[in-house]
mmCIF file of all heavy atoms in Angstrom:
data_model
loop_
_atom_site.group_PDB
_atom_site.id
_atom_site.type_symbol
_atom_site.label_atom_id
_atom_site.label_comp_id
_atom_site.label_asym_id
_atom_site.label_seq_id
_atom_site.Cartn_x
_atom_site.Cartn_y
_atom_site.Cartn_z
ATOM 1 N N LYS A 9 -27.733 13.662 10.316
ATOM 2 C CA LYS A 9 -26.826 14.637 9.715
ATOM 3 C C LYS A 9 -25.440 14.576 10.344
ATOM 4 O O LYS A 9 -24.461 14.961 9.734
ATOM 5 C CB LYS A 9 -27.404 16.048 9.857
ATOM 6 C CG LYS A 9 -28.624 16.278 9.011
ATOM 7 C CD LYS A 9 -29.139 17.685 9.174
ATOM 8 C CE LYS A 9 -30.398 17.887 8.351
ATOM 9 N NZ LYS A 9 -30.926 19.245 8.502
ATOM 10 N N LEU A 10 -25.351 14.103 11.569
ATOM 11 C CA LEU A 10 -24.078 14.041 12.275
ATOM 12 C C LEU A 10 -23.294 12.757 12.014
ATOM 13 O O LEU A 10 -22.076 12.737 12.116
ATOM 14 C CB LEU A 10 -24.304 14.152 13.789
ATOM 15 C CG LEU A 10 -24.799 15.487 14.295
ATOM 16 C CD1 LEU A 10 -25.032 15.413 15.792
ATOM 17 C CD2 LEU A 10 -23.806 16.585 13.980
ATOM 18 N N VAL A 11 -23.978 11.683 11.690
ATOM 19 C CA VAL A 11 -23.348 10.379 11.550
ATOM 20 C C VAL A 11 -23.046 10.105 10.082
ATOM 21 O O VAL A 11 -23.893 10.288 9.223
ATOM 22 C CB VAL A 11 -24.264 9.269 12.125
ATOM 23 C CG1 VAL A 11 -23.650 7.904 11.919
ATOM 24 C CG2 VAL A 11 -24.546 9.520 13.591
ATOM 25 N N LEU A 12 -21.827 9.646 9.838
ATOM 26 C CA LEU A 12 -21.412 9.291 8.482
ATOM 27 C C LEU A 12 -22.161 8.049 8.043
ATOM 28 O O LEU A 12 -22.107 7.014 8.699
ATOM 29 C CB LEU A 12 -19.906 9.032 8.439
ATOM 30 C CG LEU A 12 -19.301 8.693 7.096
ATOM 31 C CD1 LEU A 12 -19.467 9.865 6.130
ATOM 32 C CD2 LEU A 12 -17.838 8.366 7.254
ATOM 33 N N SER A 13 -22.863 8.131 6.937
ATOM 34 C CA SER A 13 -23.671 7.000 6.492
ATOM 35 C C SER A 13 -23.034 6.239 5.329
ATOM 36 O O SER A 13 -23.557 5.235 4.884
ATOM 37 C CB SER A 13 -25.066 7.480 6.080
ATOM 38 O OG SER A 13 -24.963 8.392 5.007
ATOM 39 N N MET A 14 -21.898 6.712 4.848
ATOM 40 C CA MET A 14 -21.239 6.032 3.726
ATOM 41 C C MET A 14 -20.392 4.879 4.245
ATOM 42 O O MET A 14 -19.871 4.928 5.345
ATOM 43 C CB MET A 14 -20.352 7.012 2.961
ATOM 44 C CG MET A 14 -21.130 8.087 2.254
ATOM 45 S SD MET A 14 -20.084 9.320 1.443
ATOM 46 C CE MET A 14 -18.754 8.399 0.794
ATOM 47 N N GLU A 15 -20.229 3.860 3.429
ATOM 48 C CA GLU A 15 -19.380 2.725 3.764
ATOM 49 C C GLU A 15 -18.108 2.790 2.934
ATOM 50 O O GLU A 15 -18.112 3.276 1.814
ATOM 51 C CB GLU A 15 -20.093 1.413 3.456
ATOM 52 C CG GLU A 15 -21.276 1.131 4.332
ATOM 53 C CD GLU A 15 -21.886 -0.218 3.986
ATOM 54 O OE1 GLU A 15 -21.179 -1.227 4.152
ATOM 55 O OE2 GLU A 15 -23.031 -0.227 3.539
ATOM 56 N N GLU A 16 -17.020 2.270 3.487
ATOM 57 C CA GLU A 16 -15.772 2.153 2.748
ATOM 58 C C GLU A 16 -15.753 0.782 2.099
ATOM 59 O O GLU A 16 -15.499 -0.219 2.741
ATOM 60 C CB GLU A 16 -14.584 2.331 3.684
ATOM 61 C CG GLU A 16 -14.515 3.709 4.284
ATOM 62 C CD GLU A 16 -13.366 3.877 5.240
ATOM 63 O OE1 GLU A 16 -12.736 2.880 5.623
ATOM 64 O OE2 GLU A 16 -13.108 5.021 5.619
ATOM 65 N N THR A 17 -16.040 0.734 0.795
ATOM 66 C CA THR A 17 -16.127 -0.533 0.081
ATOM 67 C C THR A 17 -15.102 -0.579 -1.046
ATOM 68 O O THR A 17 -14.569 0.444 -1.471
ATOM 69 C CB THR A 17 -17.534 -0.735 -0.524
ATOM 70 O OG1 THR A 17 -17.770 0.294 -1.493
ATOM 71 C CG2 THR A 17 -18.608 -0.679 0.562
ATOM 72 N N LYS A 18 -14.859 -1.786 -1.548
ATOM 73 C CA LYS A 18 -13.967 -1.955 -2.696
ATOM 74 C C LYS A 18 -14.473 -1.169 -3.899
ATOM 75 O O LYS A 18 -13.694 -0.613 -4.655
ATOM 76 C CB LYS A 18 -13.870 -3.431 -3.075
ATOM 77 C CG LYS A 18 -12.742 -4.156 -2.457
ATOM 78 C CD LYS A 18 -12.632 -5.539 -3.068
ATOM 79 C CE LYS A 18 -11.424 -6.255 -2.539
ATOM 80 N NZ LYS A 18 -11.312 -7.604 -3.052
ATOM 81 N N ASP A 19 -15.788 -1.140 -4.081
ATOM 82 C CA ASP A 19 -16.376 -0.424 -5.217
ATOM 83 C C ASP A 19 -16.056 1.065 -5.166
ATOM 84 O O ASP A 19 -16.005 1.731 -6.195
ATOM 85 C CB ASP A 19 -17.886 -0.629 -5.260
ATOM 86 C CG ASP A 19 -18.261 -2.079 -5.496
ATOM 87 O OD1 ASP A 19 -17.438 -2.810 -6.083
ATOM 88 O OD2 ASP A 19 -19.372 -2.477 -5.104
ATOM 89 N N ASN A 20 -15.858 1.600 -3.970
ATOM 90 C CA ASN A 20 -15.529 3.015 -3.810
ATOM 91 C C ASN A 20 -14.024 3.263 -3.829
ATOM 92 O O ASN A 20 -13.577 4.377 -3.610
ATOM 93 C CB ASN A 20 -16.116 3.554 -2.498
ATOM 94 C CG ASN A 20 -17.621 3.611 -2.528
ATOM 95 O OD1 ASN A 20 -18.227 3.703 -3.586
ATOM 96 N ND2 ASN A 20 -18.241 3.547 -1.366
ATOM 97 N N GLY A 21 -13.219 2.208 -4.025
ATOM 98 C CA GLY A 21 -11.779 2.361 -4.131
ATOM 99 C C GLY A 21 -11.009 2.125 -2.852
ATOM 100 O O GLY A 21 -9.805 2.323 -2.807
ATOM 101 N N TYR A 22 -11.686 1.704 -1.798
ATOM 102 C CA TYR A 22 -10.996 1.434 -0.541
ATOM 103 C C TYR A 22 -10.486 0.003 -0.533
ATOM 104 O O TYR A 22 -11.210 -0.913 -0.874
ATOM 105 C CB TYR A 22 -11.932 1.649 0.654
ATOM 106 C CG TYR A 22 -12.385 3.075 0.789
ATOM 107 C CD1 TYR A 22 -13.635 3.471 0.343
ATOM 108 C CD2 TYR A 22 -11.552 4.028 1.361
ATOM 109 C CE1 TYR A 22 -14.053 4.780 0.461
ATOM 110 C CE2 TYR A 22 -11.964 5.335 1.485
ATOM 111 C CZ TYR A 22 -13.216 5.714 1.037
ATOM 112 O OH TYR A 22 -13.624 7.006 1.149
ATOM 113 N N VAL A 23 -9.230 -0.162 -0.132
ATOM 114 C CA VAL A 23 -8.663 -1.504 -0.043
ATOM 115 C C VAL A 23 -7.929 -1.656 1.281
ATOM 116 O O VAL A 23 -7.329 -0.713 1.784
ATOM 117 C CB VAL A 23 -7.692 -1.807 -1.206
ATOM 118 C CG1 VAL A 23 -8.434 -1.897 -2.525
ATOM 119 C CG2 VAL A 23 -6.607 -0.772 -1.300
ATOM 120 N N ALA A 24 -7.984 -2.823 1.832
ATOM 121 C CA ALA A 24 -7.246 -3.120 3.055
ATOM 122 C C ALA A 24 -5.856 -3.602 2.689
ATOM 123 O O ALA A 24 -5.598 -4.029 1.567
ATOM 124 C CB ALA A 24 -7.983 -4.201 3.845
ATOM 125 N N ALA A 25 -4.958 -3.520 3.637
ATOM 126 C CA ALA A 25 -3.599 -4.010 3.402
ATOM 127 C C ALA A 25 -3.646 -5.510 3.127
ATOM 128 O O ALA A 25 -4.413 -6.242 3.725
ATOM 129 C CB ALA A 25 -2.733 -3.731 4.625
ATOM 130 N N LYS A 26 -2.829 -5.943 2.195
ATOM 131 C CA LYS A 26 -2.763 -7.368 1.893
ATOM 132 C C LYS A 26 -2.199 -8.096 3.111
ATOM 133 O O LYS A 26 -1.195 -7.660 3.688
ATOM 134 C CB LYS A 26 -1.882 -7.608 0.668
ATOM 135 C CG LYS A 26 -2.461 -7.013 -0.591
ATOM 136 C CD LYS A 26 -1.537 -7.241 -1.769
ATOM 137 C CE LYS A 26 -2.080 -6.573 -3.007
ATOM 138 N NZ LYS A 26 -1.166 -6.673 -4.129
ATOM 139 N N PRO A 27 -2.800 -9.204 3.501
ATOM 140 C CA PRO A 27 -2.378 -9.863 4.733
ATOM 141 C C PRO A 27 -0.943 -10.390 4.719
ATOM 142 O O PRO A 27 -0.306 -10.450 5.746
ATOM 143 C CB PRO A 27 -3.372 -11.007 4.896
ATOM 144 C CG PRO A 27 -4.025 -11.168 3.583
ATOM 145 C CD PRO A 27 -3.907 -9.864 2.862
ATOM 146 N N GLY A 28 -0.389 -10.751 3.566
ATOM 147 C CA GLY A 28 0.932 -11.357 3.519
ATOM 148 C C GLY A 28 2.080 -10.384 3.349
ATOM 149 O O GLY A 28 3.233 -10.797 3.252
ATOM 150 N N LEU A 29 1.821 -9.086 3.314
ATOM 151 C CA LEU A 29 2.902 -8.135 3.051
ATOM 152 C C LEU A 29 3.970 -8.147 4.139
ATOM 153 O O LEU A 29 5.150 -8.004 3.848
ATOM 154 C CB LEU A 29 2.343 -6.719 2.874
ATOM 155 C CG LEU A 29 1.577 -6.455 1.579
ATOM 156 C CD1 LEU A 29 1.106 -5.011 1.535
ATOM 157 C CD2 LEU A 29 2.413 -6.763 0.356
#
Side-chain angles (χ1 to χ4, degrees):
K9 291 181 182 179
L10 292 177
V11 177
L12 182 63
S13 61
M14 293 176 38
E15 292 182 63
E16 295 178 348
T17 63
K18 267 188 175 177
D19 296 335
N20 292 335
Y22 296 100
V23 292
K26 295 178 183 175
L29 288 181

